[in-house]
Amino acid sequence: MRVSLSLFIALLFVPALLFSQSKGVLNGTVRDKKTQEGLIGAAVILEGTGLGGVTDTNGNFRITDIPTRSYNVRFQALGYEDQVLYNVVITSGNEQVVNVEMDNGSGVALKEVVVRKNPFSKSAETPLSLQTLSAQEIKSNPGGNFDISRVIQAFPGVGGTSGVGGYRNDLIIRGGAPNENVYYLDGIEVPVINHFATQGSGGGPTGIINISFIEDVNLYTSAFPSKYDNPLSGVLQLKQRKANPNHSQHNIRLSATELAYSTDGPIIKDKLTYMASARRSYLQLLFKALQLPIQPSYWDFQYKIDYKINKKLSFYTLAIGAIDRFSFITPDNLTAENVYTLQSNPLINQWSYTNGYGLKGLAKNGYWNLTFSRNMLNNQLDKYKDNQNPSEATRTLKIRSVEAENKMRFDMNKSYDRWSYSFGAMSQYDQFTNDLYTVIRAEARDTNNVITSPAITATGNTAINFWRYGANGQIAANFFDKKTNVSFGVRVDGNTFTTDGANPFNTLSPRLAVSQTLMPQLKLNLSAGRYFKIPTYTVLGYQDAAGNLVNKGARYIQSDHLAGGFEFLPEWQGARFTLEGFYKMYSNYPVSARDSISLANKGGDFAVLGNEPITSTGKGKSYGVEFQFQQKLTRNFFTILSVTLYNSEFTNGNGKYTPASWDNGQLVSLIGGYKFKRNWELGVKFRYQGGAPYTPYNMAASQANYLTLGTGVLDYSQFNSLRLGAFHAMDFRVDKKWNFKKWSFDLYFDITNAYGSVQPGFPNYTFKRTEDNTNFATTDGKPVNTNGSNAVPVLLDGGSGTVIPTIGFIVEL
């Protein structure tokens, strides 16, 4: 027994001994922010140590034999502002690769280190309403499940869809709908970033993007640079890191729901590098073991290749894609909840991809980018009266839809002294096909089986294609000893499909931003802008029964933004306080001609947004105030506190403002983390979201249609007249890393909704089951009538309060 105990104790100390001997590597590139040229002789300093290095003639550096832990890394160069990267984790597995852009705007000499750069990304074009996260902040986020969309919900003004169990990634930014955001990966637009994406909306239950490749994330919530077309509420800009130029390295991640593999390295030294990844879910196996009726399954893939042609010119290609399947099994116990799930959701067969190519060239006092890309979404949905026994006779939904975009973008960026300017243009060729059949209302029969109201269906077979184009320009300058920064931009867009789309003056969108330094650590930031978005393909391509494209008269949706606030940087390093107010005004929003509801209130489920006639008559407004405190990693601690108070209202067919479906009113988020000795780390996240409004059911129409539709029918005469309770939850995550000679092992334990808080959910309309759960209960003891007249309606509580523990590991080698 003593021998066994001694051996056990010795084994416990083996990882610690190996850790004490392990070393890691940091490499990367330092560039001039304005010209993108590599900086020669820039100093790279690991704060709190005597370790560091200097960049070579290409701006590259590599520091070896670094003890494995987290560091703040400072970059210094003559005539440039200091730059600090926080929470850079050095392991013995993968080399840490970083890329830094330094600003020469201050003209500070190397020795004058008391003047430091604001560590929070800002620009003259967007001095406010811009949030930034590093890769490590994303990876270590509790409850984030390595998903970018869930992580950025911690930002001020950003919430998620309420009332659907908390399983979706919809980004609700400052009260706008989920489809008001655009997403870019290394300058390539990626329309679909989620698995099981809601066509026309963009949200879904889990993200596609591999965060192992992400260097940083920027989220714009207003003051959008003019090069971005189609945003009304947000721009999510994702930047991938460079591959390790020295040797191939690998990353394996296993969690309770998926297995992911990533690799990167050189193909031709100093010329050609690659990154590639694949991920496979096995959630369907877990759900089957738990006897849950839904069976989600997905794959995703990602790659990037960089080729340095010469010192002035580089080329890259990237791709990201997903394959999604959503099916059902029949559980042994057919509870009312299981039956509702089986009947209310569609079968999903979906795949998507984005493939892009880019050239980046250096020019005198600037640089240019030229990109070509193609993205495609293939969406197939099927739904039947009985999804367990599908047949054409019982079909209630069929969608066979394909969206394809072929894009070219060019932008030139120049700077001279206090002035900087940029301009660009884009064109794209869009293709959309849609084979649609959906039952809107079941036929109604009286007691004599005579049809009193025929079934209402929508059908169509659309094939459209058209061009879209746009141009943009922006100019910025600083004045009064660089205490005042002013930026003005303008953009126009057009298309060859809609009735007035060829007139670019209809989409003339100016924007102005001003930043004024009031005190050395306090700034006042203001912005105003007008932004446009073309309606979704599902709206533009909708046909009536006669085959007419009834929405060709749809107008670009318009949103006017006003934003202003203060930014305060305290004396201590890496901290920031911000206070911002915003006001958004919408016009030309599509309103359904079928149910008179604004499309601004739709898109938070697995249905398709659009596929109906509309009028461009809707209006909206969203306004509020945001507060944020952020502390980058300092003394082993980091935190983000965000508080948002807002109102969001839109008009429906009656022209009256009513609370939007995303009008939660209050958002609070707190994320904190502490790094202990021996590579232990603790992360905590608390989130609070006010109750969302919802619409009650039309009980008579629901009873008559439930067996056909599998859901209740909402009473839109009482639109959003009720409101759910507020939701709050806390997530925890503990990480422990072991660093061996040439590989590392990270074991993590994550608890989502740690104290079991119940998230209020929309009630679900269904019929009561018999006591033995074999059929629907009826008032007369007979089989349920097709019109549900003898059924017993019930409303199921849609809330969810599940505690979700997850254990997983990450291996780097």
Side-chain angles (χ1 to χ4, degrees), residues 347-367:
L347 299 156
I348 302 174
N349 188 342
Q350 184 181 101
W351 57 262
S352 65
Y353 74 82
T354 297
N355 182 210
Y357 303 85
L359 278 172
K360 183 173 186 175
L362 304 187
K364 185 178 180 181
N365 298 322
Y367 62 95

mmCIF file of all heavy atoms in Angstrom, residues 347-367:
data_model
loop_
_atom_site.group_PDB
_atom_site.id
_atom_site.type_symbol
_atom_site.label_atom_id
_atom_site.label_comp_id
_atom_site.label_asym_id
_atom_site.label_seq_id
_atom_site.Cartn_x
_atom_site.Cartn_y
_atom_site.Cartn_z
ATOM 1 N N LEU A 347 -37.469 19.176 -40.888
ATOM 2 C CA LEU A 347 -36.266 18.437 -41.218
ATOM 3 C C LEU A 347 -35.363 19.358 -42.028
ATOM 4 O O LEU A 347 -35.833 20.039 -42.943
ATOM 5 C CB LEU A 347 -36.610 17.185 -42.020
ATOM 6 C CG LEU A 347 -37.519 16.160 -41.325
ATOM 7 C CD1 LEU A 347 -38.237 15.310 -42.362
ATOM 8 C CD2 LEU A 347 -36.715 15.291 -40.395
ATOM 9 N N ILE A 348 -34.066 19.400 -41.706
ATOM 10 C CA ILE A 348 -33.146 20.345 -42.346
ATOM 11 C C ILE A 348 -32.013 19.583 -43.011
ATOM 12 O O ILE A 348 -31.394 18.713 -42.403
ATOM 13 C CB ILE A 348 -32.569 21.341 -41.328
ATOM 14 C CG1 ILE A 348 -33.688 22.115 -40.625
ATOM 15 C CG2 ILE A 348 -31.597 22.314 -42.008
ATOM 16 C CD1 ILE A 348 -33.191 23.025 -39.503
ATOM 17 N N ASN A 349 -31.768 19.936 -44.260
ATOM 18 C CA ASN A 349 -30.615 19.430 -45.003
ATOM 19 C C ASN A 349 -29.967 20.654 -45.648
ATOM 20 O O ASN A 349 -30.487 21.197 -46.624
ATOM 21 C CB ASN A 349 -31.063 18.417 -46.057
ATOM 22 C CG ASN A 349 -29.894 17.727 -46.721
ATOM 23 O OD1 ASN A 349 -28.765 18.198 -46.654
ATOM 24 N ND2 ASN A 349 -30.169 16.609 -47.380
ATOM 25 N N GLN A 350 -28.847 21.091 -45.094
ATOM 26 C CA GLN A 350 -28.283 22.396 -45.483
ATOM 27 C C GLN A 350 -26.768 22.296 -45.637
ATOM 28 O O GLN A 350 -26.109 21.575 -44.898
ATOM 29 C CB GLN A 350 -28.631 23.430 -44.404
ATOM 30 C CG GLN A 350 -28.211 24.854 -44.698
ATOM 31 C CD GLN A 350 -28.570 25.791 -43.558
ATOM 32 O OE1 GLN A 350 -27.726 26.157 -42.758
ATOM 33 N NE2 GLN A 350 -29.851 26.169 -43.475
ATOM 34 N N TRP A 351 -26.247 23.007 -46.621
ATOM 35 C CA TRP A 351 -24.796 23.181 -46.706
ATOM 36 C C TRP A 351 -24.482 24.572 -47.228
ATOM 37 O O TRP A 351 -25.303 25.194 -47.912
ATOM 38 C CB TRP A 351 -24.130 22.096 -47.554
ATOM 39 C CG TRP A 351 -24.620 21.933 -48.974
ATOM 40 C CD1 TRP A 351 -25.517 21.012 -49.415
ATOM 41 C CD2 TRP A 351 -24.225 22.690 -50.130
ATOM 42 N NE1 TRP A 351 -25.723 21.149 -50.768
ATOM 43 C CE2 TRP A 351 -24.931 22.164 -51.232
ATOM 44 C CE3 TRP A 351 -23.345 23.740 -50.342
ATOM 45 C CZ2 TRP A 351 -24.799 22.668 -52.533
ATOM 46 C CZ3 TRP A 351 -23.200 24.255 -51.626
ATOM 47 C CH2 TRP A 351 -23.916 23.707 -52.698
ATOM 48 N N SER A 352 -23.301 25.049 -46.876
ATOM 49 C CA SER A 352 -22.900 26.398 -47.282
ATOM 50 C C SER A 352 -21.382 26.458 -47.388
ATOM 51 O O SER A 352 -20.671 25.653 -46.783
ATOM 52 C CB SER A 352 -23.385 27.439 -46.263
ATOM 53 O OG SER A 352 -22.751 27.242 -45.012
ATOM 54 N N TYR A 353 -20.904 27.419 -48.159
ATOM 55 C CA TYR A 353 -19.464 27.664 -48.226
ATOM 56 C C TYR A 353 -19.201 29.086 -48.688
ATOM 57 O O TYR A 353 -20.034 29.730 -49.336
ATOM 58 C CB TYR A 353 -18.760 26.670 -49.159
ATOM 59 C CG TYR A 353 -18.990 26.905 -50.638
ATOM 60 C CD1 TYR A 353 -18.242 27.847 -51.354
ATOM 61 C CD2 TYR A 353 -19.968 26.197 -51.335
ATOM 62 C CE1 TYR A 353 -18.451 28.069 -52.704
ATOM 63 C CE2 TYR A 353 -20.187 26.415 -52.685
ATOM 64 C CZ TYR A 353 -19.420 27.346 -53.366
ATOM 65 O OH TYR A 353 -19.642 27.578 -54.714
ATOM 66 N N THR A 354 -18.015 29.574 -48.346
ATOM 67 C CA THR A 354 -17.465 30.813 -48.887
ATOM 68 C C THR A 354 -16.033 30.535 -49.295
ATOM 69 O O THR A 354 -15.258 29.968 -48.522
ATOM 70 C CB THR A 354 -17.490 31.946 -47.851
ATOM 71 O OG1 THR A 354 -18.842 32.245 -47.496
ATOM 72 C CG2 THR A 354 -16.835 33.205 -48.414
ATOM 73 N N ASN A 355 -15.686 30.917 -50.521
ATOM 74 C CA ASN A 355 -14.337 30.732 -51.033
ATOM 75 C C ASN A 355 -13.854 32.079 -51.576
ATOM 76 O O ASN A 355 -14.548 32.715 -52.377
ATOM 77 C CB ASN A 355 -14.335 29.672 -52.129
ATOM 78 C CG ASN A 355 -12.959 29.373 -52.688
ATOM 79 O OD1 ASN A 355 -12.808 29.005 -53.836
ATOM 80 N ND2 ASN A 355 -11.920 29.526 -51.883
ATOM 81 N N GLY A 356 -12.690 32.534 -51.117
ATOM 82 C CA GLY A 356 -12.213 33.847 -51.528
ATOM 83 C C GLY A 356 -10.747 33.856 -51.904
ATOM 84 O O GLY A 356 -9.964 32.991 -51.479
ATOM 85 N N TYR A 357 -10.373 34.848 -52.718
ATOM 86 C CA TYR A 357 -8.998 35.045 -53.167
ATOM 87 C C TYR A 357 -8.672 36.529 -53.017
ATOM 88 O O TYR A 357 -9.493 37.390 -53.346
ATOM 89 C CB TYR A 357 -8.830 34.628 -54.626
ATOM 90 C CG TYR A 357 -9.230 33.190 -54.893
ATOM 91 C CD1 TYR A 357 -10.555 32.866 -55.156
ATOM 92 C CD2 TYR A 357 -8.283 32.172 -54.854
ATOM 93 C CE1 TYR A 357 -10.940 31.543 -55.371
ATOM 94 C CE2 TYR A 357 -8.655 30.852 -55.076
ATOM 95 C CZ TYR A 357 -9.983 30.548 -55.335
ATOM 96 O OH TYR A 357 -10.351 29.241 -55.541
ATOM 97 N N GLY A 358 -7.474 36.816 -52.522
ATOM 98 C CA GLY A 358 -7.122 38.205 -52.303
ATOM 99 C C GLY A 358 -5.695 38.535 -52.691
ATOM 100 O O GLY A 358 -4.787 37.712 -52.541
ATOM 101 N N LEU A 359 -5.515 39.742 -53.204
ATOM 102 C CA LEU A 359 -4.198 40.309 -53.477
ATOM 103 C C LEU A 359 -4.040 41.553 -52.613
ATOM 104 O O LEU A 359 -4.955 42.383 -52.525
ATOM 105 C CB LEU A 359 -4.053 40.696 -54.939
ATOM 106 C CG LEU A 359 -3.686 39.604 -55.944
ATOM 107 C CD1 LEU A 359 -3.795 40.153 -57.359
ATOM 108 C CD2 LEU A 359 -2.255 39.090 -55.687
ATOM 109 N N LYS A 360 -2.872 41.671 -51.987
ATOM 110 C CA LYS A 360 -2.585 42.860 -51.201
ATOM 111 C C LYS A 360 -1.264 43.433 -51.677
ATOM 112 O O LYS A 360 -0.239 42.738 -51.702
ATOM 113 C CB LYS A 360 -2.490 42.519 -49.714
ATOM 114 C CG LYS A 360 -2.265 43.739 -48.823
ATOM 115 C CD LYS A 360 -2.358 43.360 -47.357
ATOM 116 C CE LYS A 360 -2.272 44.582 -46.459
ATOM 117 N NZ LYS A 360 -2.469 44.239 -45.040
ATOM 118 N N GLY A 361 -1.290 44.714 -52.069
ATOM 119 C CA GLY A 361 -0.092 45.359 -52.596
ATOM 120 C C GLY A 361 0.266 46.600 -51.811
ATOM 121 O O GLY A 361 -0.618 47.350 -51.383
ATOM 122 N N LEU A 362 1.545 46.814 -51.606
ATOM 123 C CA LEU A 362 2.012 48.020 -50.939
ATOM 124 C C LEU A 362 2.260 49.111 -51.978
ATOM 125 O O LEU A 362 2.784 48.844 -53.057
ATOM 126 C CB LEU A 362 3.294 47.739 -50.168
ATOM 127 C CG LEU A 362 3.238 46.604 -49.140
ATOM 128 C CD1 LEU A 362 4.537 46.550 -48.339
ATOM 129 C CD2 LEU A 362 2.033 46.740 -48.215
ATOM 130 N N ALA A 363 1.862 50.316 -51.653
ATOM 131 C CA ALA A 363 2.049 51.464 -52.534
ATOM 132 C C ALA A 363 2.696 52.587 -51.735
ATOM 133 O O ALA A 363 2.849 52.487 -50.518
ATOM 134 C CB ALA A 363 0.700 51.919 -53.108
ATOM 135 N N LYS A 364 3.065 53.639 -52.405
ATOM 136 C CA LYS A 364 3.673 54.762 -51.710
ATOM 137 C C LYS A 364 2.679 55.346 -50.718
ATOM 138 O O LYS A 364 1.554 55.717 -51.086
ATOM 139 C CB LYS A 364 4.113 55.831 -52.726
ATOM 140 C CG LYS A 364 4.867 56.992 -52.074
ATOM 141 C CD LYS A 364 5.331 58.010 -53.108
ATOM 142 C CE LYS A 364 6.080 59.158 -52.435
ATOM 143 N NZ LYS A 364 6.529 60.171 -53.425
ATOM 144 N N ASN A 365 3.063 55.404 -49.464
ATOM 145 C CA ASN A 365 2.226 55.953 -48.391
ATOM 146 C C ASN A 365 0.912 55.202 -48.217
ATOM 147 O O ASN A 365 -0.079 55.776 -47.760
ATOM 148 C CB ASN A 365 1.929 57.438 -48.638
ATOM 149 C CG ASN A 365 3.174 58.285 -48.646
ATOM 150 O OD1 ASN A 365 4.100 58.054 -47.872
ATOM 151 N ND2 ASN A 365 3.222 59.263 -49.544
ATOM 152 N N GLY A 366 0.872 53.937 -48.571
ATOM 153 C CA GLY A 366 -0.371 53.212 -48.394
ATOM 154 C C GLY A 366 -0.327 51.799 -48.929
ATOM 155 O O GLY A 366 0.738 51.230 -49.169
ATOM 156 N N TYR A 367 -1.506 51.250 -49.158
ATOM 157 C CA TYR A 367 -1.637 49.882 -49.655
ATOM 158 C C TYR A 367 -3.009 49.712 -50.291
ATOM 159 O O TYR A 367 -3.918 50.531 -50.105
ATOM 160 C CB TYR A 367 -1.448 48.874 -48.518
ATOM 161 C CG TYR A 367 -2.487 48.981 -47.415
ATOM 162 C CD1 TYR A 367 -3.626 48.176 -47.410
ATOM 163 C CD2 TYR A 367 -2.329 49.901 -46.372
ATOM 164 C CE1 TYR A 367 -4.572 48.290 -46.405
ATOM 165 C CE2 TYR A 367 -3.268 50.024 -45.370
ATOM 166 C CZ TYR A 367 -4.388 49.208 -45.385
ATOM 167 O OH TYR A 367 -5.329 49.326 -44.397
#
